[in-house]
Amino acid sequence: MNTKQEQYVESIRKTAENYFSKGEFFCSEAVVKTINDALGKPYPDEVVKLASGFPVGLGKAQCLCGAVSGGEMALGMVYGRVHGEPMDPKMLEIAKELHDYIKEEYKSLCCRVITRQWSGDNFQSPERKQHCIEITGRVAQWVATQFIENGIITAEE
């Protein structure tokens, strides 16, 4: 990536993190909103509602990381399909790549595991919230990077 592209994906990370840190959106919502906007809003703002059940590991179940859920939905904005279309092989390939990236970085995709050290604090500690904000930003940044590398988003100098 060139400097302009690196600056762009950094701005994507910060945008997603800001939505979460300001309390405007939770993790999955912040990723979906940020990427939908980055793509030029192929979906109306209401698309964020699709992500609203995923924070805190699927509605506080502390299962799949909400940021990852949002990232997978964001990938579907480009590689997903509608009824009658064949599956784009890139969809499942890139979905697994996001899975593998987070697994490598955090050793798990489970909210309960990757936030274990703050178990039971219910987002009361600033450290726990900051940890989740960081993951949210990294997922949005990773998705934007993939879109640039695949020619979906341009951030030219």
Side-chain angles (χ1 to χ4, degrees), residues 3-110:
T3 303
K4 184 74 172 177
Q5 291 168 327
E6 289 173 357
Q7 290 171 343
Y8 181 74
V9 295
E10 179 65 14
S11 74
I12 292 291
R13 182 186 64 76
K14 288 180 181 175
T15 298
E17 288 180 352
N18 283 337
Y19 282 133
F20 197 162
S21 68
K22 291 179 179 176
E24 296 172 352
F25 288 117
F26 285 124
C27 48
S28 53
E29 298 166 321
V31 172
V32 168
K33 167 72 173 153
T34 301
I35 298 300
N36 190 45
D37 288 351
L39 290 169
K41 291 191 174 191
Y43 299 96
D45 288 338
E46 289 79 9
V47 73
V48 174
K49 291 181 176 184
L50 299 175
S52 294
F54 292 89
V56 198
L58 303 175
K60 295 187 176 182
Q62 294 192 310
C63 192
L64 176 63
C65 169
V68 173
S69 298
E72 297 292 357
M73 286 186 272
L75 292 170
M77 290 178 186
V78 171
Y79 301 109
R81 64 179 174 166
V82 296
H83 186 258
E85 291 181 342
M87 174 62 87
D88 182 341
K90 183 72 174 170
M91 180 71 247
L92 299 180
E93 176 188 317
I94 201 165
K96 184 178 182 315
E97 289 174 11
L98 174 57
H99 165 277
D100 293 350
Y101 167 70
I102 294 299
K103 180 116 186 210
E104 176 69 24
E105 293 294 316
Y106 297 98
K107 310 302 178 208
S108 178
L109 283 84
C110 174

